Amino acid sequence: MPELTSAPNLSSLYLRAVVSGPSRSGSTLPDTEYVRRGIAIDRDHLAEYDLVCGFGLRDELPMTYPHVLSFGMSVQLMTDPGFPFPLVGLVHVANSIEQRRALRVTDELTQRVRVTGLRPHPKGRQFDVVTETSVDDEVVWTEVSTYLRRGKPDESAPRQEIDGLDAGEPTASWRLGGDLGRRYAAVSGDRNPIHLHPLTAKAFGFPRAIAHGMWSKARCLAAFEGRLPEACRVDVEFRKPVLLPSTAYFTERGRDFALHSRSGKPHLFGRIS
């Protein structure tokens, strides 16, 4: 179980992904688990994250914030020599976060990250990145991010599980600037080229840059701020990319929510439990 004393250097990891990606192939996931202890919350960084994602400035961490703290370890796992797929080209299709109590800016965190669950997907194969965040040896926050490696279709694989809301009358609409991907990348470290600029996004088949999926989830949860219980679980499925710039339409009905385009096409379906 490798232990890290600092956050991985994401710039060097993305360079490794570009250089080694084309040569990667395999059918098994590594059993490596990374751990990092003594993680202190940087108040300035937290404030920048809150601003980009629409949260108010509070001592309580947004439910999605630990994701950005552990993201470097996730990327390191997915660029290690034993990982079977190229990092560039993986599609984030779902994310589930379970929080047992609120995390606060004064908490000192330990995070563990591993990959598991390689299985069929209707459009290829999928796997999970599992992150556990602990305070004083108690696991208080768990995340499962599911990624798709496109490949041979498997029609026997299960489909999405969340029944989506129709567009209906939106609760809110958000105008998203063309620089949103760069702004979120600056606080999250996720500098995948599909998010940064129209030209780099076009190289990967997108007409324009697209918003990060975890920004979309965070922005939706910001709309519930002050109404979520400390202990809860939030599941989302990512559908159509959010092109930048654009206007996104948010709809909530009870504990179900969605993000849609102007035409009603779903970007994200979510459920709070």
Side-chain angles (χ1 to χ4, degrees), residues 52-273:
V52 171
C53 297
F55 292 101
L57 299 178
R58 306 169 65 189
D59 285 341
E60 185 177 303
L61 303 187
M63 194 173 180
T64 47
Y65 185 69
H67 170 87
V68 303
L69 299 178
S70 64
F71 182 71
M73 286 193 288
S74 300
V75 174
Q76 181 150 340
L77 270 172
M78 292 188 284
T79 53
D80 279 350
F83 190 75
F85 310 125
L87 175 67
V88 178
L90 293 176
V91 181
H92 196 183
V93 293
N95 178 271
S96 175
I97 295 174
E98 183 175 355
Q99 181 172 276
R100 294 163 180 79
R101 72 155 175 86
L103 290 165
R104 292 176 173 81
V105 71
T106 52
D107 287 331
E108 186 175 275
L109 311 179
T110 295
Q111 293 192 304
R112 300 174 184 271
V113 182
R114 66 185 186 276
V115 290
T116 188
L118 186 60
R119 58 199 185 276
H121 183 278
K123 295 183 179 179
R125 288 182 288 174
Q126 61 186 333
F127 65 92
D128 299 324
V129 177
V130 179
T131 303
E132 293 180 344
T133 298
S134 302
V135 178
D136 296 329
D137 296 323
E138 177 191 1
V139 177
V140 295
W141 184 97
T142 304
E143 175 187 49
V144 179
S145 282
T146 302
Y147 290 87
L148 164 67
R149 168 60 174 170
R150 293 186 185 276
K152 183 179 179 181
D154 187 336
E155 294 302 326
S156 66
R159 300 282 174 173
Q160 268 91 347
E161 298 177 353
I162 297 179
D163 297 325
L165 293 175
D166 56 28
E169 184 67 25
T171 309
S173 62
W174 302 317
R175 181 61 185 169
L176 313 181
D179 65 342
L180 175 60
R182 296 187 292 276
R183 292 174 59 218
Y184 183 77
V187 298
S188 69
D190 186 351
R191 291 182 171 84
N192 189 317
I194 61 177
H195 303 302
L196 302 182
H197 192 276
L199 292 178
T200 54
K202 284 179 181 178
F204 293 93
F206 296 97
R208 305 196 299 274
I210 65 172
H212 296 72
M214 288 304 294
W215 176 87
S216 299
K217 179 172 184 175
R219 185 64 188 88
C220 289
L221 290 188
F224 285 97
E225 193 167 29
R227 295 185 288 146
L228 291 178
E230 281 201 5
C232 65
R233 170 173 167 163
V234 181
D235 300 295
V236 300
E237 290 174 359
F238 303 113
R239 300 292 179 90
K240 299 291 184 182
V242 180
L243 296 175
L244 300 173
S246 66
T247 299
Y249 297 85
F250 172 73
T251 302
E252 63 170 284
R253 188 175 304 145
R255 291 301 174 96
D256 290 347
F257 60 93
L259 199 63
H260 295 273
S261 67
R262 184 184 300 274
S263 66
K265 292 182 179 179
H267 297 306
L268 172 156
F269 289 128
R271 177 166 295 155
I272 302 166
S273 58

